[in-house]
Amino acid sequence: MKIGIDLRVLDSLNITGLGRYALNLTKELIKFKEEYYFIGNVDRSELEYTKNMTIPIELPYGDIEFANKLLSLIGYVEDLDMMFSPFYPLPERRTFKGIVTIHDLIPLRLPEIFRNTGIYNFYDTYMRECAEHIDHIITVSNSTKQDIMELYGIEEEKISVIYLAGHSKCFNREDVGLAQQKVFEKYRINKGYILSLCTLEPRKNLTRLLKAYEIIRTKLKEEFHLVFVGGFGMRSEELIREIEKSPFKDNIIMTGYVPDEDLGVLYSNAEVFVYPSLYEGFGLPVLEAMGYGVPVVTSNVSSLPEVGGDAALYCNPYDVESIAYTIEKVLLSPTLQRQLREKSLERSKLFSWEKTALQTRDVFLKCLNKS
């Protein structure tokens, strides 16, 4: 069987959540016997090219209709049996089966943030049309499955829920050597810290986290950092303005994008990982933090309780006092910290990219075997 994978999400050197999904899933899928075709400007040393063909074509991000014409042509010329897209919509006019992953419908759930933007139109027009004509939809949580059924009117039988997995690289928390110290020096971290990792944008609710940090610092009279890891997203200037006004701004660190080799150090040594997002399709950083045995505080909305289970503590993301109280609860209790670390490690073992790939391949085969 010949299966094409739209890997344009890997065009960027610095990959984040979507790229991690596409890369880790593809690394596992190519271990199976099917013949895979990598579509897009893909140059990743992590992928083996020995039995897989690369089609190095420029698929435009901003012109979905033209990109779909190219995908239709590629599928026809290469005589593909199926095409899989880990994010972007696939063409309606095609000679092959089509499967797409819909990670979330957040712009439609939070229109006050995304209204009148290209990303809103992407979900309200292109993804909606794709969901209607595609052969099958993969999604990453039951929460998003319900959103797809409700907001797109898609029947349940057309949707499969397949969970993601955490970071594939390991880091030894006991390693206190020179390499670890260099990471701390690189990001100017010289004391204990609260860690949050995400693209800096309003949906991630970081302004409320900042206010919660100020409450905790005022109450505990103890110095520790608040570390924001992640690239700058839309309207990130709002957070920057609030940080500049903070009485504790000298202890607030914004690292920007962090390479994988540094992430393990930052995750593993955090006092607590906080992810107060207003809405998530899955919440991959929560699972990644758990994989490093970090106590996790996250929101009690959307998919996050589904991911964290009983291994995380939950707060109301719209209530600054609730965020502050939940974080403080972890900081003040060594016993709770130890319990959460143990639960986090156990919880993370339930997820793996191998399992994600096996379930994804099963969806492929069922779709191909349909008459």
Side-chain angles (χ1 to χ4, degrees):
M1 287 178 288
K2 299 165 68 174
I3 301 174
I5 307 180
D6 175 0
L7 289 178
R8 79 186 95 164
V9 292
L10 297 182
D11 283 357
S12 172
L13 178 63
N14 297 330
I15 61 172
T16 53
L18 290 172
R20 289 188 188 283
Y21 167 69
L23 179 60
N24 286 306
L25 175 58
T26 303
K27 283 168 60 178
E28 294 296 327
L29 285 174
I30 61 179
K31 295 177 182 178
F32 298 114
K33 63 182 180 181
E34 290 76 35
E35 188 176 354
Y36 287 96
Y37 288 64
F38 302 154
I39 305 171
N41 288 332
V42 186
D43 184 17
R44 292 282 166 182
S45 60
E46 303 96 326
L47 296 176
E48 298 176 9
Y49 294 93
T50 50
K51 68 181 182 69
N52 304 290
M53 180 175 177
T54 301
I55 304 173
I57 190 168
E58 185 76 34
L59 292 172
Y61 295 92
D63 192 339
I64 300 299
E65 293 177 3
F66 182 60
N68 277 344
K69 288 179 181 178
L70 291 174
L71 290 173
S72 291
L73 181 61
I74 290 168
Y76 174 75
V77 171
E78 301 295 342
D79 193 26
L80 297 182
D81 298 296
M82 171 177 288
M83 192 174 291
F84 167 63
S85 173
F87 176 67
Y88 286 96
L90 291 176
E92 181 174 6
R93 299 182 64 181
R94 59 182 183 270
T95 57
F96 46 85
K97 295 280 189 178
I99 294 179
V100 67
T101 298
I102 299 179
H103 295 263
D104 62 72
L105 296 182
I106 294 169
L108 305 186
R109 278 295 184 205
L110 302 177
E112 66 278 8
I113 295 178
F114 293 93
R115 184 74 74 185
N116 297 324
T117 65
I119 191 70
Y120 180 89
N121 294 331
F122 174 85
Y123 283 96
D124 196 39
T125 302
Y126 295 108
M127 287 308 300
R128 185 186 297 277
E129 292 173 355
C130 179
E132 292 171 355
H133 69 66
I134 205 71
D135 291 288
H136 201 79
I137 295 168
I138 292 173
T139 193
V140 296
S141 66
N142 285 295
S143 173
T144 300
K145 176 183 175 180
Q146 293 301 317
D147 285 348
I148 294 169
M149 292 167 60
E150 177 185 340
L151 299 175
Y152 283 169
I154 303 299
E155 61 273 19
E156 185 174 8
E157 295 73 20
K158 192 177 176 178
I159 308 169
S160 295
V161 176
I162 301 176
Y163 290 137
L164 310 185
H167 204 285
S168 58
K169 294 185 178 180
C170 297
F171 174 80
N172 183 2
R173 184 177 169 80
E174 303 304 319
D175 178 12
V176 291
L178 183 60
Q180 178 171 285
Q181 189 56 39
K182 283 184 177 179
V183 172
F184 293 144
E185 292 173 357
K186 180 178 179 179
Y187 300 109
R188 309 179 313 283
I189 298 173
N190 53 29
K191 52 179 69 74
Y193 58 95
I194 296 170
L195 176 67
S196 191
L197 183 149
C198 59
T199 300
L200 309 186
E201 60 184 21
R203 173 172 64 91
K204 301 300 184 177
N205 203 29
L206 301 179
T207 300
R208 286 194 180 93
L209 173 55
L210 171 62
K211 298 303 179 185
Y213 170 73
E214 292 173 348
I215 290 173
I216 298 169
R217 282 292 306 272
T218 301
K219 190 172 181 181
L220 297 185
K221 307 294 184 184
E222 179 183 347
E223 284 198 14
F224 49 89
H225 292 302
L226 174 60
V227 178
F228 291 119
V229 173
F232 296 100
M234 66 174 193
R235 291 165 52 190
S236 56
E237 65 277 2
E238 297 172 12
L239 174 64
I240 295 172
R241 284 198 299 268
E242 291 300 318
I243 291 174
E244 285 300 313
K245 293 189 295 185
S246 175
F248 305 104
K249 65 180 181 180
D250 291 338
N251 285 149
I252 299 170
I253 296 171
M254 305 178 77
T255 68
Y257 178 85
V258 168
D260 286 350
E261 56 266 27
D262 294 350
L263 276 180
V265 175
L266 296 180
Y267 269 131
S268 299
N269 290 277
E271 300 296 325
V272 58
F273 177 77
V274 186
Y275 199 74
S277 178
L278 298 177
Y279 213 90
E280 290 294 321
F282 184 78
L284 191 54
V286 167
L287 191 56
E288 289 186 342
M290 287 183 170
Y292 290 105
V294 185
V296 171
V297 170
T298 189
S299 304
N300 60 3
V301 299
S302 61
S303 63
L304 292 166
E306 197 174 333
V307 175
D310 66 352
L313 292 187
Y314 299 95
C315 62
N316 178 352
Y318 294 93
D319 185 344
V320 172
E321 293 285 348
S322 173
I323 300 171
Y325 170 77
T326 312
I327 297 171
E328 184 181 342
K329 191 175 177 182
V330 177
L331 294 176
L332 293 178
S333 175
T335 300
L336 180 58
Q337 290 174 25
R338 185 180 67 255
Q339 291 172 346
L340 289 174
R341 290 187 189 280
E342 292 171 355
K343 286 184 176 182
S344 286
L345 288 171
E346 288 303 310
R347 179 73 179 172
S348 70
K349 293 175 183 177
L350 301 177
F351 305 81
S352 73
W353 287 113
E354 180 182 10
K355 184 185 294 186
T356 301
L358 282 168
Q359 294 174 349
T360 300
R361 179 176 181 260
D362 186 53
V363 171
F364 289 177
L365 297 179
K366 286 180 180 177
C367 187
L368 283 168
N369 290 331
K370 285 183 179 180
S371 57

